[in-house]
Amino acid sequence: MIVAERKPFDEIRNMVSNYKKVLTVGCGTCVAVCLAGGSKEVETLNAELNLAFKKDGIEFGAETLERQCDMEFLAELDNKVDQYDCLLSMACGAGIQFLAERFPNKPVLPAVNTSFIGVNLDVGWYEEKCRACGQCVLAMTGGVCPVTMCAKSLFNGPCGGTNKTSCEIHTDQPCAWFKIYERLSGQGRLAQIMTVSPPNDWSNQKPRKVIQPGYEERIKAMHS
Amino acid sequence: MTTDKCTNVTEKCADTKENCDNMVDISISKDVLVIGAGSFGLEAAGKIAAQGYSVSVIGVKTACARQSGCTSKMLETGKVNIMQDVAIDSLAGVTGDFRATLIKNAGNGAEYSEKVEKVFGAIVVAPQYSYSTLNKKYGLTLNDKVVSQSQFEAMIADPESQKKILNGVNGNGSTVAFLTGFAQEGDPTSTSRVLTSALAVQNMENCNAYIYAGNVKVGAKGLERLFTQGRHAGVVCFKPSQMPTIEQNLNDGVNTVKITIKDPVVRTDVELTPDYVVVEEAVVVGQQNLDIASTLRIDTDLYGFLPSNNVHRFPAKSNRDGIFVVNNSLDAANAALKLKELIGNGIKRVAANKAKVDEDRCVICLTCYRSCPHGAIFWQNGAAAISPAACQGCGICASECPMDAIQLGDFTDDSLRTSIKDAVVSAKDNQKDGQPLIVAFCCKNSALEACEAATKFGHEMPQGFRMVKVPCAGKVDVEFIMKAFVEGADGVMVAACHEGNCKAERGNIYAKWRVNEIQKRLEKMGLEKNRLIFTTIASNMAKEFAGKVNAFAAAIK
Ligand code: SF4
Ligand code: SF4
Ligand code: SF4
Ligand code: SF4
């Protein structure tokens, strides 16, 4: 799924402060699953905004669509957007752009930062797994993505920085190629690691993680 | 009480209890929307209102609609509500329960526009096409003597201009020549317009009408009669094999047109210098009609006219149940008739299990909604739903659904898998040495009948040939084709209706796409590409069917 995080409230507040009637549009799929932009988050954000703009008299409407990345669902807003002068989308970047395409005459603002393609580790806790590189090498790497997990996105590793199971960038960051080594040898196909894959041009990145506000405590308790 | 028959027997439902339990009553709104307030739209509205349904007509009234007088008569019934300057903005729902958003003052440059949502049981579209005069093709310049068909119709409808025609140049009537069917292929509507105008001219004192007709069509109800009527009144009709020689003289205040044709019998030139020349017009589809079609999700024909052609469909019906298209008086009558069958007293009994969505499996990907040719699918409560009233049971959606969430009552995936297996097993038992084992998926609307007739008439086909019946070629999943090969078929044939002839509009096209795709993959699987073929056939082509099977067998031997 696509994982997103809500933008800091101040940023959202600044974005909408020049409008009179704002429609907050949630998305009922990915961002709902990762607790960033579903119906509940729409209501919560609107409550916060209502409090913040009480004196300014800005009105906030709420709609949550099945998905914002399908025109048919966006069309459900056709009869509603006219009354608003701005749309605040809580979908991922793809959904926000599609919403803006559907209503090109309305300013469309993002209420979330789209983070990554990832998996659910626990309620409110997500980890990046794939960078959508378009040339999946998981068959060679024992099902561990080197593009996402290796800080240098090496298709052939490990590099000289591998440090007793960790990556040289940080001891908390496991070395992707160590994981690949472990997985392949566990399956008795370690020889595979010697196959050379043509390298790709990736910049240094490490997997990003998101823990939604309010879930830190729970995660600490459950996973320490 | 135990009985085989349903206790609730209706005319159509003299069926077993089991089947009857699969029927559901659906409520159908008795309100009807007519889009287009031209004469045919209003004619349809009048007929529908006369059956007791409430009709809302939207669109701009045309001149001929206004003077036809039907408007005031209809308004008196209180059943027809004409809303000027209202257009349809969007449409949701399905037959019996269409939810239309109507927009007032649409595109009028008006300061405000207002939207309302209304429910309709059925919709009638009466497209208002515009015309372009084909005078250039005749080398003519339009002026007060050379006019378009529409202009002439307006002239004979207007008392002032009518008087002018009646008086002619020197008070003793006019001669009017109509040019039609040389600049384009004629169609029944334009033929009818010419005949009506010519008859009107001929009926004016001292006036004479001449029709120069190229390629004209009289193949519509009432046209032949109109033609005879005109002839009896004295309308002269020439049908030269090529366009007449037309000389327009506009020099020094002169304004004449000389029309010359060669009489093929007496081999002399026949010349005419009429007082008025009326030129045919081409119908222009116009963006507005295309927009209506896309809003209503109905298909247009090759040229963009509504509706698309389909021989399996009753005239005036579109590809979506409950949406009718009216292009002439006959359509108006047909639409009213079918509409009554649809709406009845507001309750319709339909088979519940033509196609059904398993809500637990559905991921609401909208694939089915996007591929149903009959617009029978909508969504509610987070899952796709199929209207039993609108669904035609073609199975295209079921084949396209990525989750196998749709099953057809009469053709479940399981039953088809069994049919495929049985077909292969029984073919194996009968197969002669060296003859291939062929499974043919046959659409029940065409190939099935052709195949059955081929067997009945004793056309020889290989012993190892077996047929699997499908509701439409659109129900032939990739999975089923592969299954036939896996079970042991040497060749698989998918036999659909001819292009443009599919009862489900594009089931045959879907099938062809799938076959093309699998053909590409077959070689990688180690099978020759020619072991899978797609073919089209009509139900009366028994011999051809056998021929195709034999040719296929020979090719893959
Ligand atoms: S818009 Fe983005 S968040 Fe919403 S369903 Fe589509 S991909 Fe997921
Ligand atoms: S290699 Fe990694 S980034 Fe590329 S597609 Fe596979 S999982 Fe995604
Ligand atoms: S195609 Fe299947 S999964 Fe997709 S919406 Fe239709 S029923 Fe649901
Ligand atoms: S079976 Fe055919 S008509 Fe019925 S819902 Fe599916 S695609 Fe539409």
Side-chain angles (χ1 to χ4, degrees), chain B residues 213-446:
Chain B
N215 189 350
V216 296
K217 293 223 165 69
V218 283
K221 205 174 153 195
L223 268 190
E224 199 63 55
R225 202 191 53 219
L226 203 56
F227 186 72
T228 323
Q229 219 178 332
R231 269 236 303 265
H232 286 168
V235 175
V236 178
C237 189
F238 297 116
K239 263 198 118 236
S241 52
Q242 45 177 296
M243 192 185 282
T245 312
I246 296 167
E247 295 158 77
Q248 184 174 30
N249 190 346
L250 293 171
N251 295 327
D252 307 326
V254 191
N255 182 2
T256 58
V257 176
K258 189 168 87 184
I259 304 174
T260 314
I261 54 165
K262 274 211 184 337
D263 191 304
V265 184
V266 287
R267 303 220 185 157
T268 52
D269 284 354
V270 182
E271 269 180 31
L272 185 75
T273 311
D275 300 304
Y276 292 96
V277 177
V278 181
V279 193
E280 66 176 309
E281 292 166 320
V283 186
V284 182
V285 177
Q287 192 54 42
Q288 197 195 347
N289 291 310
L290 294 176
D291 288 346
I292 291 174
S294 91
T295 303
L296 303 186
R297 300 176 63 224
I298 57 173
D299 297 339
T300 60
D301 73 6
L302 227 53
Y303 309 99
F305 293 105
L306 286 56
S308 58
N309 305 315
N310 190 323
V311 289
H312 297 282
R313 220 160 47 212
F314 192 82
K317 277 191 160 193
S318 74
N319 55 306
R320 292 192 72 188
D321 198 77
I323 301 184
F324 302 85
V325 181
V326 166
N327 282 314
N328 50 50
S329 293
L330 186 63
D331 284 350
N334 278 331
L337 185 79
K338 287 288 153 184
L339 210 134
K340 188 166 185 201
E341 273 176 28
L342 167 71
I343 303 182
N345 61 356
I347 303 279
K348 197 174 165 69
R349 174 154 283 234
V350 291
N353 64 346
K354 268 186 251 168
K356 257 195 145 156
V357 177
D358 178 344
E359 287 165 24
D360 294 337
R361 296 190 77 113
C362 173
V363 294
I364 196 167
C365 69
L366 301 184
T367 305
C368 56
Y369 166 81
R370 289 169 178 158
S371 48
C372 171
H374 303 293
I377 304 183
F378 56 101
W379 59 90
Q380 64 185 10
N381 309 326
I386 297 175
S387 152
C391 172
Q392 313 289 319
C394 66
I396 293 175
C397 59
S399 291
E400 292 296 312
C401 172
M403 292 301 292
D404 286 335
I406 302 175
Q407 295 294 333
L408 300 196
D410 294 336
F411 293 90
T412 60
D413 288 353
D414 282 344
S415 73
L416 276 165
R417 283 186 202 110
T418 311
S419 309
I420 296 165
K421 192 164 181 185
D422 292 350
V424 175
V425 169
S426 100
K428 268 188 189 148
D429 291 346
N430 284 288
Q431 195 181 8
K432 277 203 194 125
D433 278 348
Q435 275 198 346
L437 198 161
I438 295 174
V439 171
F441 291 97
C442 290
C443 163
K444 78 169 195 301
N445 302 309
S446 53

Side-chain angles (χ1 to χ4, degrees), chain B residues 123-144:
Chain B
I123 297 174
V124 175
V125 190
Q128 284 174 285
Y129 298 118
S130 50
Y131 298 102
S132 78
T133 315
L134 297 170
N135 54 303
K136 292 219 175 81
K137 297 225 175 168
Y138 289 92
L140 286 167
T141 306
L142 295 183
N143 54 41
D144 58 334

